[in-house]
């Protein structure tokens, strides 16, 4: 049983976990959602959650010459390094960031990469717009874990997205296969970002990789709304819960 405090469960597999949790519990929660969908227990599910600070790295990072040294150094600075099973680049986590994990089962017809990313970007853009934040999808050179489907405000990254796919046996015998899609977003909500990019670049240096994250290529929701603190984060998460619940039920 996952130790999730202050959890509001709207339906099976739909969770909003207000209190920060250890990052391993968050990743386990995400994996549990994926397993529920792949097993056919539900067609979709999501979790909105946040974690204690950590640096989450792909398994490929463990092969870098300075990985062990980098991990020990970061942990000594209060930033444990946690390895995830998927690819991509290092992603920092703090209690000031909000995570959205969505899992959907798509029947038969192939769902393209751009189409599947829109499944998570659309509700996020809608949610932010209600707070006066006008986001769009774009690359941002110098941003952490950069990609075409960052959410960006005035050229600065406010959220990152990623996805993972798994082929399944079709639920309909007339179709060739189903696909389970795990979509994840990390949203910069309310956090002092300078310290995060400092430790992130130090990790890269210790791994004998060029540091590339540029601080002013990022922005937090709190910088735009002029609201901050636990009350703001909790309100934002609850509002996101309502938006995603309406959105995901369409699939």
């Amino acid at each position: 049983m996952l130790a999730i405090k202050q959890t509001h469960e709207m339906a099976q597999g739909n969770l909003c976990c207000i209190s920060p949790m250890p990052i391993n519990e968050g990743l386990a929660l995400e994996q549990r959602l994926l397993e529920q969908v792949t097993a056919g227990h539900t067609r979709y599910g999501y979790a909105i959650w946040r974690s204690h600070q950590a640096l989450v790295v792909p398994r490929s990072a463990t092969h870098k010459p300075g990985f062990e040294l980098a991990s020990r150094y970061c942990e000594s600075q209060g930033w444990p390094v946690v390895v995830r099973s998927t690819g991509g680049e290092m992603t920092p986590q703090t209690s000031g960031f909000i995570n959205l994990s969505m899992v959907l089962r798509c029947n038969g017809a192939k769902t393209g990469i751009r189409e599947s990313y829109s499944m998570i970007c659309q509700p996020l853009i809608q949610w932010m717009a209600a707070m006066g934040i006008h986001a769009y999808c774009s690359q941002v050179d110098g941003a952490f874990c950069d990609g075409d489907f960052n959410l960006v405000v005035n050229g600065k990254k406010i959220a990152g997205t990623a996805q993972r796919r798994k082929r399944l046996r079709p639920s309909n015998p007339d179709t060739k296969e189903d696909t389970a899609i795990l979509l994840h977003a990390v949203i910069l909500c309310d956090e002092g970002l300078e310290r995060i990019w400092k430790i992130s670049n130090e990790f890269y240096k210790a791994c004998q990789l060029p540091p590339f994250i540029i601080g002013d290529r990022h922005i937090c929701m709190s910088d735009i709304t002029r609201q901050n603190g636990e009350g703001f984060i909790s309100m934002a998460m609850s509002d996101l819960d309502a938006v995603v619940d309406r959105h995901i039920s369409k699939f």
Side-chain angles (χ1 to χ4, degrees), residues 190-246:
D190 181 24
E191 182 62 73
L193 296 177
E194 183 177 352
R195 70 188 187 95
I196 295 174
W197 312 137
K198 180 177 183 294
I199 193 69
S200 298
N201 281 327
E202 287 174 345
F203 172 81
Y204 283 121
K205 285 181 183 178
C207 284
Q208 300 180 29
L209 296 169
F212 68 87
I213 299 175
I214 301 172
D216 65 5
R217 304 292 168 85
H218 307 82
I219 193 167
C220 278
M221 292 170 59
S222 58
D223 296 328
I224 301 169
T225 64
R226 303 302 178 187
Q227 300 179 71
N228 54 48
E230 284 295 309
F232 171 61
I233 297 173
S234 297
M235 177 197 70
M237 293 177 74
S238 295
D239 290 347
L240 179 59
D241 189 5
V243 170
V244 174
D245 186 63
R246 290 193 301 270

Short mmCIF file of all heavy atoms in Angstrom, two decimals, residues 190-246:
data_model
loop_
_atom_site.label_atom_id
_atom_site.label_comp_id
_atom_site.label_asym_id
_atom_site.label_seq_id
_atom_site.Cartn_x
_atom_site.Cartn_y
_atom_site.Cartn_z
N ASP A 190 5.87 26.52 -7.97
CA ASP A 190 6.29 27.55 -7.01
C ASP A 190 7.60 27.12 -6.38
O ASP A 190 7.61 26.33 -5.42
CB ASP A 190 5.21 27.75 -5.95
CG ASP A 190 5.59 28.83 -4.93
OD1 ASP A 190 6.42 29.69 -5.27
OD2 ASP A 190 5.05 28.80 -3.81
N GLU A 191 8.70 27.60 -6.89
CA GLU A 191 10.01 27.14 -6.45
C GLU A 191 11.07 28.16 -6.81
O GLU A 191 10.98 28.82 -7.85
CB GLU A 191 10.33 25.80 -7.13
CG GLU A 191 11.65 25.16 -6.73
CD GLU A 191 11.72 24.82 -5.26
OE1 GLU A 191 11.05 23.86 -4.83
OE2 GLU A 191 12.45 25.53 -4.54
N GLY A 192 12.07 28.31 -5.95
CA GLY A 192 13.25 29.09 -6.30
C GLY A 192 14.11 28.26 -7.22
O GLY A 192 14.70 27.26 -6.79
N LEU A 193 14.19 28.62 -8.48
CA LEU A 193 14.77 27.74 -9.49
C LEU A 193 16.30 27.75 -9.54
O LEU A 193 16.90 26.78 -9.98
CB LEU A 193 14.22 28.11 -10.87
CG LEU A 193 12.71 27.91 -11.06
CD1 LEU A 193 12.29 28.38 -12.45
CD2 LEU A 193 12.32 26.44 -10.86
N GLU A 194 16.93 28.83 -9.09
CA GLU A 194 18.38 28.95 -9.27
C GLU A 194 19.12 27.77 -8.64
O GLU A 194 20.05 27.21 -9.23
CB GLU A 194 18.87 30.27 -8.67
CG GLU A 194 20.36 30.51 -8.88
CD GLU A 194 20.82 31.86 -8.35
OE1 GLU A 194 19.96 32.67 -7.95
OE2 GLU A 194 22.05 32.08 -8.34
N ARG A 195 18.72 27.39 -7.43
CA ARG A 195 19.42 26.29 -6.74
C ARG A 195 19.23 24.97 -7.47
O ARG A 195 20.12 24.10 -7.43
CB ARG A 195 18.91 26.17 -5.30
CG ARG A 195 17.48 25.65 -5.18
CD ARG A 195 16.94 25.72 -3.75
NE ARG A 195 15.63 25.06 -3.67
CZ ARG A 195 15.46 23.80 -3.30
NH1 ARG A 195 16.50 23.05 -2.98
NH2 ARG A 195 14.24 23.27 -3.26
N ILE A 196 18.11 24.83 -8.16
CA ILE A 196 17.84 23.58 -8.86
C ILE A 196 18.74 23.44 -10.08
O ILE A 196 19.30 22.37 -10.34
CB ILE A 196 16.35 23.52 -9.26
CG1 ILE A 196 15.50 23.48 -7.99
CG2 ILE A 196 16.06 22.33 -10.16
CD1 ILE A 196 14.03 23.56 -8.23
N TRP A 197 18.90 24.50 -10.84
CA TRP A 197 19.76 24.42 -12.03
C TRP A 197 21.22 24.31 -11.61
O TRP A 197 22.03 23.69 -12.31
CB TRP A 197 19.53 25.61 -12.94
CG TRP A 197 18.08 25.88 -13.19
CD1 TRP A 197 17.45 27.08 -13.20
CD2 TRP A 197 17.04 24.91 -13.46
NE1 TRP A 197 16.11 26.94 -13.44
CE2 TRP A 197 15.83 25.61 -13.61
CE3 TRP A 197 17.03 23.52 -13.59
CZ2 TRP A 197 14.62 24.98 -13.87
CZ3 TRP A 197 15.83 22.88 -13.85
CH2 TRP A 197 14.65 23.60 -13.98
N LYS A 198 21.57 24.88 -10.46
CA LYS A 198 22.94 24.77 -9.96
C LYS A 198 23.29 23.31 -9.68
O LYS A 198 24.32 22.80 -10.16
CB LYS A 198 23.11 25.61 -8.69
CG LYS A 198 24.51 25.57 -8.09
CD LYS A 198 24.59 26.50 -6.89
CE LYS A 198 26.01 26.53 -6.30
NZ LYS A 198 26.42 25.22 -5.72
N ILE A 199 22.45 22.61 -8.91
CA ILE A 199 22.76 21.21 -8.59
C ILE A 199 22.65 20.34 -9.83
O ILE A 199 23.41 19.39 -10.00
CB ILE A 199 21.85 20.69 -7.45
CG1 ILE A 199 22.38 19.35 -6.91
CG2 ILE A 199 20.40 20.53 -7.91
CD1 ILE A 199 23.67 19.46 -6.16
N SER A 200 21.73 20.66 -10.74
CA SER A 200 21.59 19.88 -11.97
C SER A 200 22.86 19.97 -12.82
O SER A 200 23.36 18.95 -13.32
CB SER A 200 20.38 20.37 -12.77
OG SER A 200 19.18 20.21 -12.04
N ASN A 201 23.38 21.16 -12.98
CA ASN A 201 24.60 21.33 -13.77
C ASN A 201 25.80 20.72 -13.07
O ASN A 201 26.72 20.20 -13.73
CB ASN A 201 24.84 22.81 -14.07
CG ASN A 201 23.97 23.31 -15.21
OD1 ASN A 201 23.67 22.57 -16.16
ND2 ASN A 201 23.55 24.57 -15.15
N GLU A 202 25.82 20.77 -11.74
CA GLU A 202 26.91 20.12 -11.00
C GLU A 202 26.88 18.61 -11.20
O GLU A 202 27.93 17.96 -11.28
CB GLU A 202 26.81 20.48 -9.52
CG GLU A 202 27.22 21.91 -9.23
CD GLU A 202 26.99 22.33 -7.79
OE1 GLU A 202 26.25 21.62 -7.07
OE2 GLU A 202 27.53 23.37 -7.39
N PHE A 203 25.69 18.05 -11.28
CA PHE A 203 25.58 16.61 -11.56
C PHE A 203 26.20 16.30 -12.93
O PHE A 203 26.97 15.35 -13.07
CB PHE A 203 24.11 16.18 -11.54
CG PHE A 203 23.89 14.77 -11.99
CD1 PHE A 203 24.11 13.70 -11.13
CD2 PHE A 203 23.51 14.49 -13.31
CE1 PHE A 203 23.92 12.39 -11.57
CE2 PHE A 203 23.33 13.18 -13.74
CZ PHE A 203 23.54 12.13 -12.87
N TYR A 204 25.85 17.10 -13.93
CA TYR A 204 26.40 16.86 -15.27
C TYR A 204 27.93 17.00 -15.27
O TYR A 204 28.63 16.19 -15.88
CB TYR A 204 25.79 17.84 -16.28
CG TYR A 204 24.39 17.47 -16.70
CD1 TYR A 204 23.32 18.34 -16.51
CD2 TYR A 204 24.13 16.25 -17.31
CE1 TYR A 204 22.03 17.99 -16.90
CE2 TYR A 204 22.85 15.89 -17.70
CZ TYR A 204 21.81 16.76 -17.49
OH TYR A 204 20.54 16.42 -17.87
N LYS A 205 28.43 18.01 -14.59
CA LYS A 205 29.89 18.19 -14.52
C LYS A 205 30.57 16.98 -13.91
O LYS A 205 31.59 16.49 -14.42
CB LYS A 205 30.22 19.43 -13.70
CG LYS A 205 29.96 20.75 -14.39
CD LYS A 205 30.36 21.91 -13.47
CE LYS A 205 30.06 23.25 -14.08
NZ LYS A 205 30.40 24.36 -13.15
N ALA A 206 30.02 16.48 -12.79
CA ALA A 206 30.62 15.34 -12.11
C ALA A 206 30.56 14.07 -12.96
O ALA A 206 31.40 13.19 -12.83
CB ALA A 206 29.93 15.10 -10.77
N CYS A 207 29.57 14.00 -13.85
CA CYS A 207 29.46 12.86 -14.77
C CYS A 207 30.32 13.04 -16.01
O CYS A 207 30.25 12.24 -16.95
CB CYS A 207 28.01 12.67 -15.20
SG CYS A 207 26.95 11.90 -13.96
N GLN A 208 31.13 14.12 -16.03
CA GLN A 208 32.00 14.45 -17.15
C GLN A 208 31.19 14.74 -18.41
O GLN A 208 31.56 14.37 -19.53
CB GLN A 208 33.02 13.33 -17.39
CG GLN A 208 33.91 13.08 -16.18
CD GLN A 208 34.94 11.97 -16.41
OE1 GLN A 208 35.38 11.75 -17.53
NE2 GLN A 208 35.32 11.30 -15.33
N LEU A 209 30.06 15.42 -18.21
CA LEU A 209 29.20 15.87 -19.30
C LEU A 209 29.14 17.39 -19.26
O LEU A 209 29.23 17.99 -18.17
CB LEU A 209 27.79 15.30 -19.16
CG LEU A 209 27.66 13.78 -19.26
CD1 LEU A 209 26.26 13.35 -18.85
CD2 LEU A 209 27.98 13.31 -20.68
N PRO A 210 28.98 18.05 -20.39
CA PRO A 210 28.91 19.51 -20.37
C PRO A 210 27.61 19.99 -19.72
O PRO A 210 26.52 19.53 -20.10
CB PRO A 210 28.96 19.89 -21.86
CG PRO A 210 28.49 18.67 -22.58
CD PRO A 210 28.94 17.50 -21.76
N PRO A 211 27.69 20.89 -18.74
CA PRO A 211 26.46 21.46 -18.18
C PRO A 211 25.80 22.35 -19.21
O PRO A 211 26.46 23.12 -19.91
CB PRO A 211 26.99 22.27 -16.98
CG PRO A 211 28.40 22.61 -17.33
CD PRO A 211 28.91 21.45 -18.16
N PHE A 212 24.48 22.25 -19.34
CA PHE A 212 23.83 22.98 -20.42
C PHE A 212 22.58 23.73 -19.99
O PHE A 212 22.00 24.46 -20.79
CB PHE A 212 23.45 22.00 -21.55
CG PHE A 212 22.37 21.04 -21.17
CD1 PHE A 212 21.02 21.36 -21.32
CD2 PHE A 212 22.69 19.80 -20.62
CE1 PHE A 212 20.03 20.47 -20.96
CE2 PHE A 212 21.70 18.91 -20.27
CZ PHE A 212 20.37 19.25 -20.43
N ILE A 213 22.13 23.55 -18.75
CA ILE A 213 20.87 24.16 -18.33
C ILE A 213 21.09 25.64 -18.05
O ILE A 213 21.97 26.02 -17.26
CB ILE A 213 20.30 23.46 -17.09
CG1 ILE A 213 20.03 21.98 -17.42
CG2 ILE A 213 19.02 24.14 -16.63
CD1 ILE A 213 19.57 21.16 -16.23
N ILE A 214 20.30 26.47 -18.69
CA ILE A 214 20.38 27.92 -18.53
C ILE A 214 19.17 28.36 -17.70
O ILE A 214 18.02 28.14 -18.10
CB ILE A 214 20.39 28.63 -19.90
CG1 ILE A 214 21.59 28.15 -20.72
CG2 ILE A 214 20.43 30.15 -19.72
CD1 ILE A 214 21.58 28.64 -22.16
N GLY A 215 19.45 28.97 -16.56
CA GLY A 215 18.39 29.27 -15.60
C GLY A 215 17.27 30.12 -16.15
O GLY A 215 16.09 29.85 -15.92
N ASP A 216 17.62 31.19 -16.89
CA ASP A 216 16.58 32.13 -17.32
C ASP A 216 15.76 31.64 -18.50
O ASP A 216 14.96 32.38 -19.06
CB ASP A 216 17.17 33.51 -17.61
CG ASP A 216 18.13 33.52 -18.80
OD1 ASP A 216 18.27 32.47 -19.46
OD2 ASP A 216 18.72 34.57 -19.06
N ARG A 217 15.93 30.36 -18.86
CA ARG A 217 15.07 29.75 -19.89
C ARG A 217 13.85 29.06 -19.25
O ARG A 217 13.15 28.32 -19.93
CB ARG A 217 15.87 28.74 -20.72
CG ARG A 217 17.11 29.32 -21.37
CD ARG A 217 16.76 30.33 -22.46
NE ARG A 217 17.93 31.08 -22.88
CZ ARG A 217 18.81 30.67 -23.80
NH1 ARG A 217 18.65 29.49 -24.37
NH2 ARG A 217 19.83 31.42 -24.13
N HIS A 218 13.62 29.31 -17.95
CA HIS A 218 12.54 28.66 -17.23
C HIS A 218 11.74 29.70 -16.45
O HIS A 218 12.25 30.77 -16.11
CB HIS A 218 13.09 27.63 -16.24
CG HIS A 218 14.01 26.63 -16.86
ND1 HIS A 218 15.35 26.89 -17.09
CD2 HIS A 218 13.79 25.36 -17.31
CE1 HIS A 218 15.91 25.82 -17.65
NE2 HIS A 218 14.99 24.89 -17.79
N ILE A 219 10.50 29.36 -16.14
CA ILE A 219 9.65 30.24 -15.35
C ILE A 219 8.67 29.39 -14.54
O ILE A 219 8.25 28.32 -14.99
CB ILE A 219 8.90 31.25 -16.25
CG1 ILE A 219 8.28 32.37 -15.41
CG2 ILE A 219 7.85 30.55 -17.12
CD1 ILE A 219 7.79 33.55 -16.25
N CYS A 220 8.33 29.87 -13.35
CA CYS A 220 7.34 29.19 -12.51
C CYS A 220 5.98 29.84 -12.66
O CYS A 220 5.87 31.03 -12.97
CB CYS A 220 7.76 29.27 -11.04
SG CYS A 220 8.96 28.03 -10.53
N MET A 221 4.95 29.07 -12.38
CA MET A 221 3.60 29.61 -12.36
C MET A 221 3.49 30.78 -11.38
O MET A 221 2.82 31.77 -11.65
CB MET A 221 2.60 28.51 -11.98
CG MET A 221 2.47 27.44 -13.03
SD MET A 221 1.50 26.00 -12.45
CE MET A 221 -0.06 26.79 -12.05
N SER A 222 4.15 30.65 -10.24
CA SER A 222 4.06 31.69 -9.21
C SER A 222 4.67 33.01 -9.68
O SER A 222 4.26 34.09 -9.23
CB SER A 222 4.76 31.22 -7.92
OG SER A 222 6.11 30.89 -8.17
N ASP A 223 5.64 32.95 -10.59
CA ASP A 223 6.24 34.17 -11.13
C ASP A 223 5.23 34.96 -11.96
O ASP A 223 5.33 36.19 -12.07
CB ASP A 223 7.45 33.84 -12.01
CG ASP A 223 8.58 33.19 -11.25
OD1 ASP A 223 8.75 33.51 -10.06
OD2 ASP A 223 9.28 32.34 -11.83
N ILE A 224 4.27 34.26 -12.55
CA ILE A 224 3.29 34.90 -13.43
C ILE A 224 2.05 35.33 -12.64
O ILE A 224 1.54 36.44 -12.82
CB ILE A 224 2.90 33.95 -14.56
CG1 ILE A 224 4.14 33.54 -15.37
CG2 ILE A 224 1.85 34.59 -15.48
CD1 ILE A 224 3.90 32.42 -16.35
N THR A 225 1.57 34.44 -11.76
CA THR A 225 0.34 34.73 -11.03
C THR A 225 0.54 35.62 -9.81
O THR A 225 -0.41 36.18 -9.29
CB THR A 225 -0.31 33.42 -10.55
OG1 THR A 225 0.57 32.78 -9.61
CG2 THR A 225 -0.59 32.49 -11.73
N ARG A 226 1.80 35.74 -9.36
CA ARG A 226 2.13 36.49 -8.14
C ARG A 226 1.46 35.88 -6.91
O ARG A 226 1.18 36.56 -5.93
CB ARG A 226 1.75 37.98 -8.27
CG ARG A 226 2.40 38.68 -9.45
CD ARG A 226 3.91 38.61 -9.38
NE ARG A 226 4.53 39.25 -10.55
CZ ARG A 226 5.84 39.21 -10.80
NH1 ARG A 226 6.65 38.55 -9.98
NH2 ARG A 226 6.33 39.81 -11.87
N GLN A 227 1.21 34.59 -6.97
CA GLN A 227 0.71 33.82 -5.83
C GLN A 227 1.76 32.77 -5.50
O GLN A 227 2.46 32.28 -6.39
CB GLN A 227 -0.61 33.15 -6.15
CG GLN A 227 -1.72 34.09 -6.54
CD GLN A 227 -3.00 33.34 -6.87
OE1 GLN A 227 -3.65 32.79 -5.98
NE2 GLN A 227 -3.35 33.31 -8.14
N ASN A 228 1.87 32.39 -4.22
CA ASN A 228 2.84 31.38 -3.86
C ASN A 228 2.46 30.71 -2.55
O ASN A 228 1.45 31.06 -1.94
CB ASN A 228 4.26 31.98 -3.76
CG ASN A 228 4.31 33.18 -2.82
OD1 ASN A 228 3.80 33.11 -1.71
ND2 ASN A 228 4.90 34.27 -3.27
N GLY A 229 3.28 29.74 -2.14
CA GLY A 229 3.06 29.04 -0.89
C GLY A 229 2.23 27.78 -1.05
O GLY A 229 1.71 27.47 -2.13
N GLU A 230 2.11 27.05 0.07
CA GLU A 230 1.38 25.78 0.06
C GLU A 230 -0.07 25.95 -0.36
O GLU A 230 -0.64 25.09 -1.04
CB GLU A 230 1.46 25.13 1.44
CG GLU A 230 2.79 24.48 1.75
CD GLU A 230 3.07 23.29 0.83
OE1 GLU A 230 2.20 22.41 0.71
OE2 GLU A 230 4.16 23.25 0.22
N GLY A 231 -0.70 27.04 0.06
CA GLY A 231 -2.09 27.26 -0.32
C GLY A 231 -2.25 27.38 -1.82
O GLY A 231 -3.20 26.84 -2.40
N PHE A 232 -1.32 28.07 -2.47
CA PHE A 232 -1.37 28.22 -3.92
C PHE A 232 -1.16 26.89 -4.61
O PHE A 232 -1.89 26.53 -5.55
CB PHE A 232 -0.31 29.22 -4.38
CG PHE A 232 -0.14 29.30 -5.86
CD1 PHE A 232 -1.19 29.68 -6.69
CD2 PHE A 232 1.08 28.98 -6.45
CE1 PHE A 232 -1.03 29.74 -8.08
CE2 PHE A 232 1.25 29.05 -7.83
CZ PHE A 232 0.18 29.43 -8.63
N ILE A 233 -0.17 26.11 -4.15
CA ILE A 233 0.10 24.81 -4.77
C ILE A 233 -1.09 23.87 -4.63
O ILE A 233 -1.50 23.21 -5.58
CB ILE A 233 1.37 24.18 -4.17
CG1 ILE A 233 2.60 25.04 -4.46
CG2 ILE A 233 1.58 22.76 -4.72
CD1 ILE A 233 3.86 24.57 -3.75
N SER A 234 -1.67 23.83 -3.42
CA SER A 234 -2.82 22.96 -3.19
C SER A 234 -4.01 23.36 -4.06
O SER A 234 -4.69 22.49 -4.64
CB SER A 234 -3.23 23.00 -1.71
OG SER A 234 -2.20 22.50 -0.88
N MET A 235 -4.26 24.64 -4.16
CA MET A 235 -5.35 25.12 -5.00
C MET A 235 -5.11 24.75 -6.46
O MET A 235 -6.02 24.28 -7.16
CB MET A 235 -5.50 26.64 -4.88
CG MET A 235 -6.58 27.25 -5.77
SD MET A 235 -6.40 29.03 -5.96
CE MET A 235 -4.90 29.13 -6.97
N ALA A 236 -3.87 24.95 -6.93
CA ALA A 236 -3.54 24.63 -8.32
C ALA A 236 -3.73 23.15 -8.60
O ALA A 236 -4.26 22.77 -9.65
CB ALA A 236 -2.10 25.06 -8.61
N MET A 237 -3.32 22.30 -7.66
CA MET A 237 -3.47 20.86 -7.85
C MET A 237 -4.94 20.45 -7.88
O MET A 237 -5.35 19.62 -8.70
CB MET A 237 -2.72 20.10 -6.75
CG MET A 237 -1.22 20.26 -6.81
SD MET A 237 -0.35 19.43 -5.44
CE MET A 237 -0.49 17.71 -5.92
N SER A 238 -5.75 21.02 -7.02
CA SER A 238 -7.18 20.71 -6.99
C SER A 238 -7.86 21.15 -8.28
O SER A 238 -8.71 20.43 -8.83
CB SER A 238 -7.84 21.37 -5.78
OG SER A 238 -7.34 20.84 -4.58
N ASP A 239 -7.49 22.33 -8.77
CA ASP A 239 -8.06 22.81 -10.03
C ASP A 239 -7.64 21.91 -11.19
O ASP A 239 -8.45 21.61 -12.09
CB ASP A 239 -7.63 24.25 -10.30
CG ASP A 239 -8.27 25.25 -9.35
OD1 ASP A 239 -9.23 24.88 -8.64
OD2 ASP A 239 -7.80 26.40 -9.30
N LEU A 240 -6.38 21.49 -11.19
CA LEU A 240 -5.90 20.59 -12.24
C LEU A 240 -6.65 19.25 -12.18
O LEU A 240 -6.99 18.68 -13.22
CB LEU A 240 -4.40 20.38 -12.10
CG LEU A 240 -3.75 19.44 -13.13
CD1 LEU A 240 -3.97 19.94 -14.55
CD2 LEU A 240 -2.25 19.27 -12.84
N ASP A 241 -6.90 18.77 -10.98
CA ASP A 241 -7.65 17.53 -10.80
C ASP A 241 -8.99 17.60 -11.52
O ASP A 241 -9.38 16.69 -12.26
CB ASP A 241 -7.85 17.30 -9.29
CG ASP A 241 -8.42 15.94 -8.96
OD1 ASP A 241 -8.57 15.11 -9.87
OD2 ASP A 241 -8.71 15.71 -7.77
N ALA A 242 -9.71 18.71 -11.33
CA ALA A 242 -11.03 18.86 -11.95
C ALA A 242 -10.92 18.90 -13.48
O ALA A 242 -11.72 18.29 -14.19
CB ALA A 242 -11.71 20.12 -11.43
N VAL A 243 -9.92 19.60 -14.00
CA VAL A 243 -9.73 19.72 -15.45
C VAL A 243 -9.39 18.37 -16.06
O VAL A 243 -9.97 17.96 -17.08
CB VAL A 243 -8.64 20.77 -15.78
CG1 VAL A 243 -8.28 20.73 -17.26
CG2 VAL A 243 -9.10 22.16 -15.38
N VAL A 244 -8.44 17.66 -15.46
CA VAL A 244 -8.01 16.38 -16.01
C VAL A 244 -9.12 15.34 -15.91
O VAL A 244 -9.32 14.54 -16.83
CB VAL A 244 -6.73 15.88 -15.30
CG1 VAL A 244 -6.35 14.48 -15.78
CG2 VAL A 244 -5.57 16.84 -15.56
N ASP A 245 -9.88 15.35 -14.82
CA ASP A 245 -10.98 14.40 -14.67
C ASP A 245 -12.00 14.55 -15.79
O ASP A 245 -12.48 13.56 -16.35
CB ASP A 245 -11.65 14.58 -13.31
CG ASP A 245 -12.71 13.53 -13.04
OD1 ASP A 245 -12.34 12.34 -12.96
OD2 ASP A 245 -13.89 13.89 -12.95
N ARG A 246 -12.33 15.79 -16.14
CA ARG A 246 -13.26 16.02 -17.26
C ARG A 246 -12.65 15.59 -18.59
O ARG A 246 -13.32 15.01 -19.44
CB ARG A 246 -13.66 17.50 -17.32
CG ARG A 246 -14.56 17.96 -16.19
CD ARG A 246 -15.16 19.32 -16.49
NE ARG A 246 -14.17 20.35 -16.71
CZ ARG A 246 -13.67 21.12 -15.73
NH1 ARG A 246 -14.09 20.98 -14.48
NH2 ARG A 246 -12.76 22.05 -16.01
#
